[in-house]
Amino acid sequence: MWRMPRPSKPLLNRGRIVACALALVDAEGLQAVSTRRLAAELGVSGPSLYNHFRNKDEILDAVADTVCEQVDVSMFSDGTEWRQALLEWARSYRAALSAHPNIVPFLAQGPGRRPSQLRIADAVFGGMTDAGWPKAQATHIGALMRYFVAGSALGSFARGFIDDAEIYTRDYPHLDQAHLLAEHQQRVDEGAFETGLRALVDGLAARHPGEAAPAPGPV
């Protein structure tokens, strides 16, 4: 019986295209992604990509969605108290974005039609309204947390300081230890994120509609 020979390379599909695009974004940034470059990396003709995606932005949408699939939102529906849910979600969100920081500027354009980002937005909004937040404030909380997490994933505060101690001790006496920051990058950046995250959540807790109103100050 005659059988069709197996292709020498795996058949092209959306998963292969997205994986290749994500690898390019991680290695070289958003500007590295083009249909021509992807076709070359995948060993196919350029037009064959259009059987799966209409254009480059649609490919990047799929890449962004793939990254956001890693974000855990189960805490908003499993009975976790809303403040703890925000903490756990923000940490999961940051971990996903920190693993692929070059995609963050594209993610910042909004969820569009990306299922994973819409799933996140729906879960956070639902969690906040279920916890007693008015809808407008629940929207603000979702946006606030997104800005904070995305910003923290874009780069490293510690890595921005060079290791030349003389520069700081000569002209910036309060930064006399700044040359050591890069050496402790992960600890500094994670500490900054946790400090800011807890400050945000504590501040929100003080504004929750269910909290007792503070006593008025002197007139």
Side-chain angles (χ1 to χ4, degrees):
M1 179 184 294
W2 179 85
R3 293 183 179 180
M4 182 180 294
R6 299 180 66 179
S8 58
K9 294 181 180 179
L11 294 174
L12 189 64
N13 55 48
R14 287 176 65 94
R16 283 191 68 211
I17 296 169
V18 171
C20 182
L22 179 56
L24 282 175
V25 171
D26 285 345
E28 302 178 33
L30 289 166
Q31 71 282 355
V33 178
S34 68
T35 53
R36 178 178 297 181
R37 176 74 183 276
L38 284 170
E41 294 285 338
L42 292 163
V44 300
S45 64
S48 64
L49 297 177
Y50 296 112
N51 293 325
H52 303 277
F53 295 98
R54 289 179 296 178
N55 50 47
K56 183 182 81 170
D57 279 351
E58 201 169 88
I59 295 172
L60 288 175
D61 267 333
V63 170
D65 206 56
T66 295
V67 171
C68 287
E69 284 176 357
Q70 304 167 34
V71 181
D72 183 13
V73 293
S74 63
M75 65 288 296
F76 292 111
S77 58
D78 66 3
T80 301
E81 193 269 338
W82 71 269
R83 287 169 291 192
Q84 184 62 31
L86 279 180
L87 291 171
E88 293 177 9
W89 164 64
R91 290 167 185 149
S92 176
Y93 196 11
R94 179 176 182 264
L97 299 191
S98 294
H100 307 282
N102 290 339
I103 196 64
V104 173
F106 191 81
L107 276 167
Q109 297 175 16
R113 296 178 182 272
R114 302 168 199 154
S116 292
Q117 278 194 275
L118 291 171
R119 172 183 61 91
I120 292 170
D122 181 70
V124 176
F125 182 79
M128 293 304 98
T129 54
D130 287 348
W133 287 97
K135 289 183 176 181
Q137 288 181 298
T139 300
H140 297 161
I141 290 170
L144 166 67
M145 298 300 291
R146 181 177 154 209
Y147 298 153
F148 174 69
V149 173
S152 74
L154 274 175
S156 166
F157 173 81
R159 198 166 54 227
F161 292 86
I162 62 175
D163 61 2
D164 186 346
E166 184 180 351
I167 289 178
Y168 304 108
T169 55
R170 184 183 64 229
D171 298 319
Y172 310 102
H174 297 297
L175 300 179
D176 61 333
Q177 298 295 304
H179 63 288
L180 302 175
L181 288 174
E183 182 181 340
H184 305 285
Q185 175 190 331
Q186 183 174 356
R187 188 175 67 187
V188 172
D189 291 341
E190 289 183 358
F193 174 75
E194 281 295 322
T195 298
L197 176 61
R198 289 186 174 276
L200 281 176
V201 174
D202 287 348
L204 288 171
R207 299 171 62 89
H208 190 276
E211 296 293 324
V219 177

